[in-house]
Amino acid sequence: MLDIRIPIGLLFSVLGVLVFVFGMATLSDAQMYAKSLQININIWSGVFMAVFGGGMLLWSKMSKKKK
Amino acid sequence: MEQTFDLHWIDYAIMLIYFVFVLGIGWVLKRYMKDANAFLEAGRSMPAWVAGLAFISTNLGALEVMGMTGSGAKYGMLTTHFYWVGAIPAMIFLAIFMMPFYYGSKARSVPEYLKLRFDEKTRGLNAILFAVMTILASGISMYALAILMEKVLGWDFNLSLILSAAIVLGYTYLGGLSSAIYNEVLQFFIIVIGLFPIVFLALKEVGGWDGLQESLAPIVTDKGLAADAFTSTWKYTGTAKANPLGVEWYGIFAGLGFVLSFGYWCTNFLIVQRAMAAESPVAARKTPLIGAIPKMFIPFLIIVPGIVALVLMNDPTKGFSITDPTTGQTNYDLTIIMLLKHYLPAGVLGLGLTALLASFMSGMAGNVSAFNTVWTYDIYQSYIRPATNDPEVDSKHYLKVGRLATIFGVLVSIAAAYLAGLFGNIMDFLQTIFSMINAPLFAVIALGMFWKRTTGHAAFIGLLAGFIIALLHHGLTAPEGATTLVKGGWLGVVHVYPVEMAQNFWTAIFAFVSSFSITIGLSLATKKNKTDEELVGLVYSLTPRENFNDGKWISRPSTLAWIVGIILIVLTILFW
C-alpha cells in the first residue's frame, strides 16, 4: 500500500521551503518579529521542516532499497 | 482584549497545502478499498510505528490540546499526571497483557471481543453505548473548535464547522481506517512541529525552566500554595489542599492512574482499533509502546506553554489575556490559541493554526472510523442483516454499509455540534454519563481475560450495575460551589467534593469496584456459558504462550516496555 513517509516527506519539504523563503523575504521586518522576541522564527522552522521532510523521503528510499 | 486578528496570505496557503495533502492521501488509498475488511480494519497491515503514532495522535484531539494547555495554566505540572501516571502505565499494560487477546482473538472490535468472550447481550450493550458516546464526543469537539475559531479568528462558525467536517468526511470516506491512520501520523508531526515554536519562545521569554519557576513563585504564593507548587508533580500531594489539583496522592493514583486511565486506554475501541490494525501480533503489542514514547513528552509541548501563559496573564506589561470576548470571563480553553496569537508572526502562525486543525481532524476521524466499524459489525451485522453464506457478497455489502455509516456518523456529529451550541450543559452532561461506562468495562474485560470462570450473565450485569452505580454516585455528590445539576447532585447532595476532578476520580473508583465485585460474585453463582475450548485465544490461562517475542531481544515488545518504564521513572524523579 501507500508508504506514508512519502506524503509526509513531501508535505514538510514544501512547507519548509515556503516558510523559509517567506522568512528570508521578511528578514528586515523587525516589527513583525517583535512578537517572536526578535527571532526570525520562520527561517528556523523552515529549515527544520525541510530537513525533516527530506529525512522522511530519504528513509523511505533507503527502506525500499533494502527490499 | 483586542478583537479578532487578520491572517496573512501565507497562513492560508499553509492550511490549504495541508488540506490538499490530507485529501490526497485519501484519494490515493481509494483504490485499495475493495472490501469491508480493507475499509473498516485497514486490512490489518499497518507497520508498528505507523499504528503507534496514530494511536496517540487520535487521542491528541482538539479538546485534548485545548484542555491540557488550559489545565497547565490552572493546575501547573500536576497536569502531567494525566500522562505519566495516567496514560503510560495503562498503555504498557495494554501492550503486554491485553493486546495478545484483542489481536489474537481475531475480533474486529472491542464489542466483538465481548461477544466472543461472553455473549451477545454484553456486546450489544457495549456497542450501543460506545456508538452514542463516540458521536457525542465528535460533535462536542467540533463545536469547541469552531467556536474558538469564531471568537479569535473571526471565522464564520457554520463555515468552519462544515468545511472541516467535509474534509474529514472526504478522506475517511475515500480511504477508510487506513486513511484515518495515515493521516493521523501526518497530523501527529504537524501538531508537534506546529506547536514547538511556542514552547521555545515561551520558555525563552521567561528565562527557561528556572526563570519560569522564579516568575511563578509570587503568583502561586498568592493562591496560598507553596512557591513551587505549580512546577512539582508529587511533592505537594500529601494533602489535597496543598496542591492546585485538590486531590491527594492516593486519589490520583487510584482514580486517575488506575481506574480512569486503564478504563480509557485499555477498553476504548477508538484507541485499541489502531493497535488492532497492526500488521502482526508483535506489531500490535508494540503499537501502544511506540506511542508511549512521544506521549511521555507531549506535556512539554502542550502543558508547559500553558504554565507560561499563567505568568503572562499575571504580568500586565505582556498584554496577554484569556478573557472570553463574548462572556467577559476567564476561559482556559482560549489559552492555546492566545499563545499562538501572542508569539507567532505570519508564517509559523499558519503552521500553528494548521496544528490545531490537524488535532481536531485526527480526533474526529478517529471517532468516525471507530463508529463506522462498531455500527457495521456490531450493530448492523448482528441485529439488522446477519452475514449470509456468501462471504464475497457480504464483504461488498458491508463495505457499502461502512461507507454509508461514515457519512451518517459525520452528519450526526454535525448535528451534535449544533446541539452542543444550543444546549451545551446537556451535551456535556451526556458525555460525562456515557464516559462512565469505561471503568466498569475495564473491570469486566480484565476479569474476562484473566479469569476463565467469568460468565456472560455476570459480565452483562456487572457492566450495567457498574454504570448505574457510577450514575448514582454522580447524582448524589457534587463538587464544591457547583451551580448546575450537570456537575452532579441531581438526586440530592450526600457528599461534597472539594473539586470536580476529585468527584470524577471517585465516580470511576466506585464504578470499577462495584462492577468488579458484582461480576465475580455472579460468575460464581451462574453456570459457565463457554467451554474451555471456546475460550482459547480469549483467556490468559487457556491460551498457549505463543512466541510473541520473536526476533532479537532488542526488538521485542518487552524490551520496549522496559525502556518506556525507565524513561517514565526518570521523568517522574526529575519533576517530582
Side-chain angles (χ1 to χ4, degrees):
Chain A
M1 223 157 43
L2 171 73
D3 181 354
I4 186 62
R5 286 168 289 197
I6 295 170
I8 293 176
L10 286 174
L11 173 65
F12 282 101
S13 306
V14 171
L15 289 183
V17 171
L18 181 72
V19 171
F20 175 77
V21 170
F22 183 72
M24 291 306 266
T26 51
L27 207 51
S28 55
D29 195 341
Q31 201 204 334
M32 179 179 150
Y33 291 107
K35 273 181 165 187
S36 54
L37 318 173
Q38 294 304 335
I39 298 167
N40 191 323
I41 193 90
N42 281 324
I43 290 188
W44 291 105
S45 292
V47 168
F48 179 80
M49 284 195 286
V51 170
F52 175 77
M56 273 282 167
L57 291 175
L58 201 70
W59 180 24
S60 160
K61 219 171 195 166
M62 292 207 329
S63 66
K64 231 174 238 152
K65 245 186 208 160
K66 248 194 231 161
K67 277 177 189 168
Chain B
M1 189 186 92
E2 62 198 285
Q3 276 302 305
T4 56
F5 60 114
D6 292 325
L7 294 179
H8 194 272
W9 64 265
I10 189 158
D11 300 320
Y12 290 112
I14 291 169
M15 284 181 233
L16 197 68
I17 294 171
Y18 164 74
F19 292 152
V20 168
F21 269 83
V22 169
L23 288 170
I25 289 175
W27 183 255
V28 172
L29 290 169
K30 184 173 175 265
R31 62 196 169 102
Y32 298 102
M33 299 300 126
K34 295 209 171 73
D35 53 29
N37 167 280
F39 188 77
L40 297 171
E41 299 163 75
R44 290 200 163 191
S45 62
M46 295 292 152
W49 74 272
V50 171
L53 291 180
F55 187 90
I56 56 158
S57 186
T58 194
N59 170 254
L60 199 56
L63 284 180
E64 172 90 0
V65 174
M66 281 159 49
M68 287 296 161
T69 314
S71 295
K74 250 194 271 184
Y75 309 121
M77 281 303 273
L78 271 96
T79 314
T80 61
H81 288 316
F82 284 92
Y83 290 74
W84 296 341
V85 71
I88 305 296
M91 287 164 81
I92 295 176
F93 185 81
L94 171 69
I96 298 298
F97 296 104
M98 296 179 83
M99 268 335 286
F101 306 102
Y102 277 140
Y103 194 91
S105 68
K106 301 274 185 294
R108 298 166 298 184
S109 65
V110 170
E112 192 164 63
Y113 175 83
L114 292 173
K115 149 91 179 150
L116 295 172
R117 173 63 186 85
F118 299 117
D119 52 21
E120 186 59 59
K121 59 180 181 297
T122 312
R123 179 243 286 264
L125 176 65
N126 179 233
I128 290 165
L129 287 173
F130 179 81
V132 177
M133 178 176 83
T134 312
I135 293 300
L136 272 178
S138 167
I140 289 172
S141 87
M142 276 171 92
Y143 169 76
L145 191 79
I147 198 85
L148 196 72
M149 293 305 190
E150 181 180 70
K151 279 178 180 164
V152 183
L153 297 177
W155 291 357
D156 182 66
F157 177 83
N158 299 311
L159 186 72
S160 51
L161 190 80
I162 306 288
L163 189 72
S164 44
I167 291 171
V168 171
L169 174 62
Y171 72 78
T172 44
Y173 181 84
L174 288 168
L177 180 62
S178 313
S179 182
I181 288 181
Y182 279 149
N183 272 311
E184 279 154 10
V185 177
L186 182 91
Q187 283 147 353
F188 170 77
F189 289 116
I190 281 275
I191 295 168
V192 173
I193 293 174
L195 297 182
F196 185 75
I198 307 185
V199 185
F200 174 75
L201 293 169
L203 279 178
K204 188 162 164 56
E205 180 161 23
V206 294
W209 184 253
D210 293 335
L212 176 61
Q213 280 179 309
E214 233 167 82
S215 359
L216 274 173
I219 302 166
V220 178
T221 39
D222 259 7
K223 292 180 191 262
L225 298 168
D228 56 345
F230 266 62
T231 44
S232 326
T233 54
W234 290 106
K235 198 171 166 185
Y236 296 103
T237 52
T239 47
K241 287 213 161 61
N243 68 73
L245 204 59
V247 185
E248 316 82 344
W249 65 271
Y250 53 88
I252 295 174
F253 218 81
L256 179 60
F258 183 61
V259 181
L260 277 182
S261 54
F262 277 71
Y264 179 80
W265 291 96
C266 301
T267 66
N268 194 329
F269 178 54
L270 168 67
I271 300 296
V272 177
Q273 187 180 30
R274 270 68 201 152
M276 282 173 142
E279 62 190 354
S280 68
V282 180
R285 287 183 94 195
K286 278 188 187 169
T287 295
L289 297 169
I290 290 174
I293 294 174
K295 179 85 183 166
M296 283 187 281
F297 296 95
I298 286 178
F300 299 109
L301 190 72
I302 58 181
I303 296 173
V304 169
I307 305 178
V308 176
L310 179 65
V311 174
L312 296 180
M313 58 183 118
N314 280 285
D315 182 347
T317 63
K318 303 288 185 201
F320 181 88
S321 148
I322 53 166
T323 306
D324 197 305
T326 39
T327 62
Q329 297 190 330
T330 303
N331 180 353
Y332 283 98
D333 280 351
L334 291 172
T335 312
I336 183 73
I337 201 155
M338 296 317 285
L339 282 168
L340 290 174
K341 185 184 163 185
H342 184 75
Y343 282 119
L344 301 185
V348 279
L349 178 61
L351 215 56
L353 290 172
T354 308
L356 270 191
L357 289 172
S359 79
F360 161 76
M361 288 185 178
S362 68
M364 182 179 176
N367 283 318
V368 170
S369 58
F371 169 81
N372 63 14
T373 307
V374 166
W375 165 261
T376 307
Y377 289 146
D378 295 304
I379 298 174
Y380 184 78
Q381 191 180 42
S382 309
Y383 303 107
I384 300 172
R385 183 197 174 279
T388 59
N389 39 23
D390 188 345
E392 195 115 327
V393 174
D394 278 353
S395 184
K396 289 268 180 296
H397 179 77
Y398 293 127
L399 170 64
K400 209 160 75 189
V401 173
R403 283 221 150 106
L404 288 175
T406 309
I407 299 178
F408 177 74
V410 171
L411 289 179
V412 181
S413 301
I414 295 175
Y418 280 104
L419 288 175
L422 290 172
F423 314 104
N425 276 342
I426 296 173
M427 295 295 276
D428 285 347
F429 180 66
L430 286 176
Q431 200 186 14
T432 312
I433 302 246
F434 277 96
S435 66
M436 285 175 190
I437 198 65
N438 283 341
L441 185 59
F442 177 64
V444 166
I445 291 185
L447 278 172
M449 255 180 205
F450 299 103
W451 189 41
K452 65 174 183 176
R453 187 69 188 75
T454 321
T455 66
H457 292 320
F460 180 76
I461 304 284
L463 201 57
L464 203 58
F467 184 57
I468 291 169
I469 284 165
L471 280 180
L472 286 176
H473 182 265
H474 188 257
L476 290 170
T477 61
E480 211 170 275
T483 48
T484 61
L485 294 179
V486 170
K487 304 279 182 207
W490 35 273
L491 292 172
V493 181
V494 174
H495 181 78
V496 174
Y497 287 103
V499 287
E500 199 179 342
M501 198 80 74
Q503 184 199 20
N504 288 342
F505 290 1
W506 287 105
T507 302
I509 293 170
F510 269 97
F512 177 84
V513 171
S514 48
S515 181
F516 197 78
S517 32
I518 291 169
T519 308
I520 291 179
L522 286 178
S523 289
L524 295 172
T526 48
K527 270 217 301 250
K528 272 184 81 173
N529 62 325
K530 300 254 177 181
T531 63
D532 281 2
E533 289 74 51
E534 286 173 313
L535 293 180
V536 173
L538 297 164
V539 178
Y540 189 81
S541 59
L542 298 172
T543 306
R545 236 40 111 248
E546 276 174 61
N547 199 2
F548 282 125
N549 279 329
D550 59 352
K552 275 186 288 195
W553 68 272
I554 190 89
S555 56
R556 284 177 194 162
S558 52
T559 315
L560 203 52
W562 281 108
I563 296 172
V564 172
I566 290 166
I567 302 177
L568 182 64
I569 291 169
V570 171
L571 283 172
T572 305
I573 294 171
L574 278 179
F575 292 92
W576 187 265

